[in-house]
Amino acid sequence: MALDADWAERWVRRTADAIADAKDELTELDRQIGDGDHGENLDRGFKAVVARLDDAATESGPDERTVGDVLKLVATTLMSTVGGASGPLYGTAYLRAAKVSGRPQIDPPAVVAVLEAALEGVSSRGKATVGEKTMVDAWHAAVEAAEAAANDGGSEVDVLRAAAAAADTAATGTIPLVATKGRASYLGERSAGHEDPGARSTALVLGAAMAAALSGPTPADPSSAA
Amino acid sequence: MALDADWAERWVRRTADAIADAKDELTELDRQIGDGDHGENLDRGFKAVVARLDDAATESGPDERTVGDVLKLVATTLMSTVGGASGPLYGTAYLRAAKVSGRPQIDPPAVVAVLEAALEGVSSRGKATVGEKTMVDAWHAAVEAAEAAANDGGSEVDVLRAAAAAADTAATGTIPLVATKGRASYLGERSAGHEDPGARSTALVLGAAMAAALSGPTPADPSSAA
Amino acid sequence: MKKLLNDPADAVADSLAGFALAHADLVRLSPAPVFVVRAGGAVTGKVGLVSGGGSGHEPLHAGFVGDGMLDAAVPGAVFTSPTPDQILPAIQAADGGAGVLTIVKNYTGDVLNFETAVELAVEEGVEVASVLVNDDVAVEDSLYTAGRRGVAGTLAVEKVAGAAADRGADLAGVAAVAERVIANVRSMGVALAAPRVPHVGRPSFDLADDEIEVGIGIHGEPGRRRVPAADADAVTEMLLTPVADDLALARGERVLLFVNGMGGTPLSELYVVYGRARRLLEERGVTVSRSLVGNYVTSLEMQGASVTVLRLDDELEALWDAPVNTAALRW
Amino acid sequence: MKKLLNDPADAVADSLAGFALAHADLVRLSPAPVFVVRAGGAVTGKVGLVSGGGSGHEPLHAGFVGDGMLDAAVPGAVFTSPTPDQILPAIQAADGGAGVLTIVKNYTGDVLNFETAVELAVEEGVEVASVLVNDDVAVEDSLYTAGRRGVAGTLAVEKVAGAAADRGADLAGVAAVAERVIANVRSMGVALAAPRVPHVGRPSFDLADDEIEVGIGIHGEPGRRRVPAADADAVTEMLLTPVADDLALARGERVLLFVNGMGGTPLSELYVVYGRARRLLEERGVTVSRSLVGNYVTSLEMQGASVTVLRLDDELEALWDAPVNTAALRW
Ligand SMILES: Nc1ncnc2c1ncn2[C@@H]1O[C@H](COP(=O)(O)OP(=O)(O)O)[C@@H](O)[C@H]1O
Ligand SMILES: Nc1ncnc2c1ncn2[C@@H]1O[C@H](COP(=O)(O)OP(=O)(O)O)[C@@H](O)[C@H]1O
Ligand SMILES: [Mg+2]
Ligand SMILES: [Mg+2]
Ligand SMILES: [Mg+2]
Ligand SMILES: [Mg+2]
């Protein structure tokens, strides 16, 4: 099953649901070592993305979108609605990802390229490297695992499953770290012992990507009605 | 045993002790239906009175003071240190009481006159009458009881015991009343069910007067060392 | 109970000492008896304005000493009116030969202590007039109360009377304009959380998480009634409606709308209240031609706000607009 | 959680609407995308000043829009930096042809969002310079942090740069004077109780009754360390000492001393802190020649305060003294 614009839209809608469900958890993580708004920020952003997708869905005509078209819409919407650190970071991630996915369908190596582009976007924008207790840790682990799965000849789903699992582990792995980037760095040693909220939300984003790939289009999905 | 300036000084010192002991209780009563400062106000005032008495006590020479001299010192000190409603009210009470006790010693009818003058001072200054849930209720009851005791030929102690007991009962009697004067009147019906702090402090003042009369001068009393 | 204070007994003195240092260009502090006077002292030929009351309402009153407003302020202990021995020298210090107006908030304690001081000042040869501010519509002015309290409307009285004195009005004239403000200003307040008096160590009243206290004063007194917590629009209506009704505002009139913070509520919330109060006035056909929003007549760190409306005419508007230069109000 | 708000999601919009109505003589509000601009718009030939950041710090920044300070302010959601699509039109609205200086508090979010907006503005042909305010000595500026935060010192940068722009300095000149303030201003803050973000429903951090949080920022972030509660003198010393040390103040120097309230602490307590901080500076042989005390850079209703010191010279003093007419700062 190839990953197309429909998949991208399902991914984004599932992300919005996952973020909404985890809103309080993300905010609580951010309350511990940040300013307690990460869940609220992303929820506001992804709700806006879904609203724009809904608007677009009511337009008629065949779906001629590329994967990149959907990701670009996500990028610009997040940039203009999230604010904070995570707005520009996720915005840049989706923007770079969109640039390498301007095709109707993407295969496993292209999925890896999408994740690599996202990682590159986050790290160049935020100037963080692995181990600084940020979302970079989750994106980085995801890219490595995705590459390995693709090299092993895995399917799109295999690649995304590997990425999601690695991001989840990496998010948990931020717990003992001392933050040296972002708001948590103000706490110094006191930041250790808490999970980084951005790494956790990255794991949710990638989990949604895998689930969207697994589920395929369904008639109940408004995006497939267009 | 006649009541002289020494008695007046013992009265005032005992009042200061009684107020200090009851400070939190008075403040709590005032917190319920006022602004929570009555105990603090009176404690500040009577501590200042005691400080002035201590200063005076270090002066040598025979005690030529009248009862009124001591009460006047109390009046002016309270007026300049208590503030709030109770400062001028108690201040005027002691000032008027001082005016009718400018003698070295006072007998039972003179004790009644002192209490009457105090009541007159409070009511003329505060324009409250009996039943408005103020200290007037306690002073008024004290005067009536004192008169009755004096008419019955009671001693100074008898008169003060009657006054103190009546003030105590009257203070408790303010509980069901709805205040129509002072800060508690702002509460309307909500003021019912709480004892008036000023009526309670009046009962303490009169209790101290009786105790001072009962105890007599003792060598341990600094005022008798002069 | 955590506060940025040293010995609670020194709270007022420490605070005034800092205030006087920070605003040495505007005020001078008399440490004993305690009062604050305009840096240059009395202005010869100008009516002097003196106000005062319990501390805990900062910036009221000391923050309003300066050009175009008060000449002296007399702070008592926290929530306790000052004593005559403080008020008397403040009156004398404010007297530039044209007499002094005392502006007293209507509380038994303030009334009695100012009364005594004024008596003494008159004996000393100072010409004194007094006005009582009683703008709080939460209290019915009847035989069954000590009368309406003076709350945030006091600021308007002090500002307008100060401008009249600056313009050269005589004592009767300044008193008359002050009375005109008093006759046309009304307020009502709400508390979401009680203040904590330094030496008391606990909140002045107990309020559940879903209750608010409507019709509160500025001394941590409980209010007229306790109602379930509501949103800003609903709460604002509870405050604005009795104020506007009591003023009997007619269509076409114009007013000053003053939303005052009680000390512990964020400024951003005061603007939410302001916006709603303004719409409610506009719905009544009343024009808001002047506005003030901020923490001016506070009750320590009480959370809550009050809404004050002053009916304006050309003269009051001009006096409101006249220059003022004090620590807390300046234009 | 009681607040004077309607739907928490509308908190910022409702508050700004009220703010714009109350100060229509000074500012105009763009509702979508949200920003606040000086009533008259950009001043032709004058360098425009734009700042912004998360809401919840009121009166910062919108309260400083007006003559002699900011030309536009961009408020984000509570404690969340604004987005480029708000910042860009604010920059454009502030541009009077002489270029725009953006004054950004050093937080990753603000930096990234302003960076993007500035890029876009430059593409649109606006000349833009930017400065980063990072006055908070509680955070070490090292490889291991996101760098010092921008806190109350931001007010001084905005005031002084605003005066320089008013005087006719060009963009490079205004940026240079802003950098000079940044190089000479340091702050440190303490919290006694945490703020409560509208949509969160509980305090931003948990603090026991006998603990204070030293080295806090203005976003409800926990501070550098938690210490037992202490009196005002001791707490003030914890704030002033690192500030003065970091500035390496020498005897004979003169400074602005700014004691800033976090929103929920009574003004009277701020003056207690001011008095102590001033004595500590004087003990170091430093003269306090300018002072500011009040709630200017807040953190909703957080209880606490910060101490800011700005090293002054003749030029900075003159720019500080220059006239300013904004909702929150006026002289
Ligand atoms: N420089 C950075 N590089 C990468 N990620 C970062 C950086 N700074 C912050 N983050 C991520 O952003 C998350 C916080 O996002 P959010 O709470 O929405 O923004 P803010 O910190 O502005 O409130 C952190 O948990 C972290 O993962
Ligand atoms: N008009 C009045 N006449 C008589 N007593 C009064 C009057 N007003 C108040 N009081 C008394 O004063 C007491 C309050 O004193 P206090 O708390 O010290 O002053 P304040 O009310 O100014 O805080 C009340 O309990 C009441 O007994
Ligand atoms: Mg955050
Ligand atoms: Mg009281
Ligand atoms: Mg009192
Ligand atoms: Mg944030």
Side-chain angles (χ1 to χ4, degrees):
Chain A
M1 190 209 65
L3 299 182
D4 56 9
D6 261 13
W7 161 77
E9 178 157 348
R10 289 198 308 279
W11 171 16
V12 173
R13 288 181 180 275
R14 278 181 178 269
T15 303
D17 290 343
I19 295 287
D21 289 347
K23 185 172 94 166
D24 292 346
E25 183 204 332
L26 292 173
T27 289
E28 180 57 24
L29 290 179
D30 197 29
R31 206 181 74 97
Q32 299 293 337
I33 55 169
D35 58 350
D37 60 2
H38 189 58
E40 194 71 27
N41 289 347
L42 288 189
D43 188 47
R44 182 173 60 244
F46 277 98
K47 283 215 163 62
V49 171
V50 167
R52 288 206 197 166
L53 287 173
D54 287 348
D55 285 355
T58 60
E59 291 162 20
S60 54
D63 190 348
E64 291 174 344
R65 299 175 303 174
T66 65
V67 170
D69 288 336
V70 175
L71 299 186
K72 173 136 197 220
L73 178 145
V74 177
T76 55
T77 309
L78 292 184
M79 282 211 197
S80 68
T81 55
V82 174
S86 57
L89 290 170
Y90 272 115
T92 309
Y94 282 97
L95 201 63
R96 301 282 165 91
K99 279 200 180 145
V100 299
S101 58
R103 275 166 286 150
Q105 303 214 331
I106 56 174
D107 59 8
V111 172
V112 173
V114 161
L115 297 180
E116 274 172 349
L119 167 62
E120 197 275 320
V122 171
S123 13
S124 66
R125 204 98 188 80
K127 304 196 178 59
T129 56
V130 174
E132 300 204 77
K133 197 180 182 109
T134 71
M135 60 173 71
V136 166
D137 295 356
W139 283 108
H140 180 86
V143 167
E144 288 208 326
E147 269 170 357
N151 288 344
D152 287 357
S155 69
E156 293 85 351
V157 169
D158 294 336
V159 169
L160 289 173
R161 182 181 290 116
D168 184 69
T169 307
T172 314
T174 62
I175 295 179
L177 302 182
V178 172
T180 53
K181 281 284 178 333
R183 220 174 267 284
S185 70
Y186 305 144
L187 284 179
E189 301 289 334
R190 280 174 79 186
S191 65
H194 303 275
E195 187 172 47
D196 177 64
R200 173 50 52 202
S201 61
T202 298
L204 295 176
V205 165
L206 295 175
M210 176 193 67
L214 269 178
S215 68
T218 67
D221 192 328
S223 66
S224 62
Chain B
M1 190 208 65
L3 299 181
D4 54 9
D6 261 12
W7 162 78
E9 178 158 348
R10 288 198 308 279
W11 172 16
V12 174
R13 289 180 179 274
R14 278 179 177 271
T15 303
D17 290 344
I19 295 287
D21 289 347
K23 185 171 92 166
D24 291 346
E25 183 204 332
L26 292 173
T27 289
E28 180 57 24
L29 290 177
D30 197 29
R31 205 181 73 96
Q32 300 292 337
I33 55 171
D35 58 351
D37 61 2
H38 189 58
E40 195 70 27
N41 289 347
L42 288 189
D43 187 48
R44 182 174 58 245
F46 277 98
K47 283 214 161 64
V49 171
V50 168
R52 288 207 197 164
L53 287 173
D54 287 347
D55 286 355
T58 59
E59 290 161 20
S60 54
D63 191 349
E64 291 175 344
R65 298 175 302 173
T66 65
V67 170
D69 289 337
V70 174
L71 299 186
K72 174 135 195 222
L73 177 145
V74 176
T76 55
T77 308
L78 292 184
M79 282 213 198
S80 68
T81 54
V82 173
S86 57
L89 289 170
Y90 272 116
T92 309
Y94 282 98
L95 201 62
R96 300 283 165 90
K99 279 200 182 144
V100 299
S101 56
R103 276 165 286 150
Q105 302 215 331
I106 56 174
D107 58 9
V111 171
V112 173
V114 161
L115 298 180
E116 274 172 348
L119 167 62
E120 199 275 321
V122 170
S123 14
S124 67
R125 203 99 188 79
K127 302 195 180 59
T129 55
V130 174
E132 300 204 79
K133 196 181 182 111
T134 71
M135 60 172 72
V136 166
D137 294 357
W139 283 109
H140 180 86
V143 166
E144 288 209 327
E147 269 170 358
N151 289 344
D152 286 358
S155 68
E156 294 85 350
V157 167
D158 294 337
V159 169
L160 288 174
R161 181 181 289 117
D168 185 69
T169 306
T172 313
T174 63
I175 295 179
L177 301 181
V178 171
T180 53
K181 279 286 179 330
R183 220 175 268 283
S185 72
Y186 304 143
L187 284 178
E189 300 289 334
R190 280 174 79 185
S191 65
H194 304 275
E195 188 173 46
D196 177 64
R200 174 51 51 201
S201 61
T202 298
L204 294 176
V205 165
L206 294 175
M210 175 193 69
L214 269 178
S215 67
T218 68
D221 193 326
S223 66
S224 61
Chain C
M1 192 182 65
K2 290 175 288 183
K3 288 195 164 263
L4 286 173
L5 294 175
N6 298 308
D7 186 340
D10 299 333
V12 172
D14 284 358
S15 178
L16 285 169
F19 174 81
L21 283 170
H23 304 290
D25 51 331
L26 293 171
V27 302
R28 195 164 44 73
L29 174 68
S30 156
V34 177
F35 63 93
V36 171
V37 64
R38 179 208 278 267
V43 180
T44 310
K46 184 185 87 69
V47 171
L49 262 72
V50 176
S51 191
S55 290
H57 310 303
E58 290 69 30
L60 185 84
H61 298 270
F64 301 140
V65 172
D67 299 333
M69 218 159 157
L70 298 181
D71 295 276
V74 196
V78 173
F79 292 170
T80 301
S81 83
T83 55
D85 64 313
Q86 300 170 255
I87 304 169
L88 172 60
I91 291 176
Q92 292 171 314
D95 184 24
V100 171
L101 179 73
T102 66
I103 298 172
V104 183
K105 304 194 294 303
N106 187 36
Y107 298 95
T108 306
D110 292 83
V111 171
L112 296 182
N113 286 286
F114 268 85
E115 239 172 49
T116 307
V118 167
E119 260 175 58
L120 297 170
V122 170
E123 275 175 32
E124 302 279 330
V126 184
E127 201 189 346
V128 186
S130 295
V131 294
L132 270 188
V133 186
N134 62 347
D135 54 318
D136 187 355
V137 298
V139 175
E140 278 166 72
D141 189 7
S142 77
L143 273 178
Y144 305 108
T145 64
R148 283 179 166 161
R149 295 176 287 220
V151 288
T154 311
L155 178 148
V157 179
E158 296 179 358
K159 169 66 186 81
V160 169
D166 246 26
R167 270 193 180 176
D170 65 9
L171 182 55
V174 176
V177 87
E179 292 290 9
R180 214 145 64 72
V181 176
I182 292 169
N184 288 289
V185 70
R186 297 289 186 281
S187 303
M188 177 124 165
V190 65
L192 279 62
R196 302 166 306 150
V197 176
H199 53 75
V200 177
R202 48 181 295 204
S204 296
F205 49 86
D206 306 308
L207 211 45
D209 254 5
D210 54 358
E211 288 176 338
I212 59 177
E213 188 86 31
V214 178
I216 41 91
I218 54 174
H219 299 87
E221 312 96 319
R224 286 295 280 188
R225 60 204 164 94
R226 194 160 284 196
V227 304
D231 69 13
D233 280 359
V235 171
T236 304
E237 205 160 335
M238 293 181 212
L239 305 183
L240 192 275
T241 304
V243 163
D245 286 352
D246 199 276
L247 277 174
L249 288 175
R251 302 191 80 77
E253 290 199 291
R254 62 186 199 274
V255 299
L256 161 74
L257 172 57
F258 168 25
V259 173
N260 176 58
M262 291 298 173
T265 280
L267 186 57
S268 49
E269 298 180 24
L270 302 183
Y271 281 113
V272 174
V273 172
Y274 173 86
R276 176 62 172 168
R278 182 162 171 145
R279 277 196 306 282
L280 291 170
L281 285 166
E282 283 165 357
E283 283 168 16
R284 288 170 176 250
V286 172
T287 303
V288 175
S289 69
R290 295 295 182 274
S291 301
L292 187 68
V293 181
N295 291 284
Y296 292 104
V297 180
T298 63
S299 184
L300 294 171
E301 71 276 80
M302 184 154 83
Q303 289 183 357
S306 61
V307 171
T308 296
V309 175
L310 168 63
R311 178 188 276 114
L312 291 173
D313 54 31
D314 289 347
E315 189 198 10
L316 294 185
E317 213 167 62
L319 291 169
W320 176 259
D321 290 345
V324 58
N325 184 14
T326 68
L329 214 62
R330 172 140 68 165
W331 56 69
Chain D
M1 192 181 66
K2 291 175 286 181
K3 288 195 164 264
L4 286 172
L5 294 175
N6 298 307
D7 186 341
D10 300 333
V12 172
D14 283 359
S15 178
L16 285 169
F19 174 80
L21 283 169
H23 304 289
D25 51 330
L26 293 171
V27 301
R28 194 165 45 74
L29 173 68
S30 158
V34 176
F35 63 92
V36 171
V37 63
R38 180 207 277 268
V43 179
T44 310
K46 184 184 89 68
V47 171
L49 263 71
V50 176
S51 191
S55 290
H57 310 302
E58 290 70 26
L60 184 85
H61 297 271
F64 301 139
V65 172
D67 300 334
M69 219 160 157
L70 299 180
D71 296 276
V74 196
V78 174
F79 292 170
T80 301
S81 82
T83 56
D85 64 311
Q86 299 171 256
I87 303 169
L88 172 60
I91 291 176
Q92 292 171 315
D95 183 24
V100 172
L101 179 73
T102 66
I103 298 172
V104 183
K105 304 194 293 303
N106 187 36
Y107 298 96
T108 306
D110 292 83
V111 171
L112 297 182
N113 285 286
F114 268 85
E115 238 171 50
T116 306
V118 167
E119 259 175 58
L120 297 170
V122 170
E123 274 176 33
E124 302 279 330
V126 184
E127 201 189 344
V128 187
S130 295
V131 293
L132 271 188
V133 186
N134 62 347
D135 54 318
D136 187 355
V137 298
V139 175
E140 279 166 70
D141 189 7
S142 76
L143 273 178
Y144 306 107
T145 65
R148 281 178 168 162
R149 295 175 287 219
V151 289
T154 311
L155 178 148
V157 179
E158 296 179 359
K159 170 66 188 80
V160 169
D166 246 26
R167 271 193 181 177
D170 63 11
L171 182 55
V174 176
V177 87
E179 292 289 10
R180 214 144 65 71
V181 175
I182 292 169
N184 288 290
V185 71
R186 297 289 186 281
S187 302
M188 176 124 166
V190 65
L192 279 61
R196 301 167 307 150
V197 176
H199 54 73
V200 177
R202 50 182 293 206
S204 295
F205 49 86
D206 306 308
L207 211 47
D209 255 6
D210 54 358
E211 287 176 339
I212 59 177
E213 188 85 31
V214 178
I216 42 94
I218 55 175
H219 299 88
E221 313 97 318
R224 286 295 280 189
R225 59 204 165 94
R226 195 159 283 195
V227 304
D231 68 14
D233 280 357
V235 171
T236 304
E237 205 160 334
M238 292 179 212
L239 304 183
L240 192 275
T241 303
V243 164
D245 286 352
D246 199 277
L247 277 175
L249 287 175
R251 302 192 81 78
E253 291 199 289
R254 61 187 200 272
V255 299
L256 161 74
L257 172 58
F258 168 25
V259 173
N260 176 59
M262 291 297 173
T265 281
L267 187 56
S268 49
E269 299 180 23
L270 302 183
Y271 281 113
V272 175
V273 172
Y274 172 87
R276 175 63 173 168
R278 182 164 169 142
R279 277 197 307 282
L280 290 171
L281 284 167
E282 284 165 358
E283 283 167 17
R284 287 171 177 250
V286 172
T287 303
V288 174
S289 68
R290 295 294 181 276
S291 302
L292 187 69
V293 181
N295 291 284
Y296 292 103
V297 180
T298 63
S299 184
L300 294 170
E301 71 277 76
M302 184 154 84
Q303 290 182 357
S306 61
V307 171
T308 296
V309 175
L310 168 63
R311 177 188 277 115
L312 291 174
D313 54 33
D314 289 347
E315 190 197 11
L316 294 184
E317 213 167 62
L319 291 168
W320 177 259
D321 289 345
V324 58
N325 184 13
T326 68
L329 214 61
R330 174 140 68 167
W331 57 70

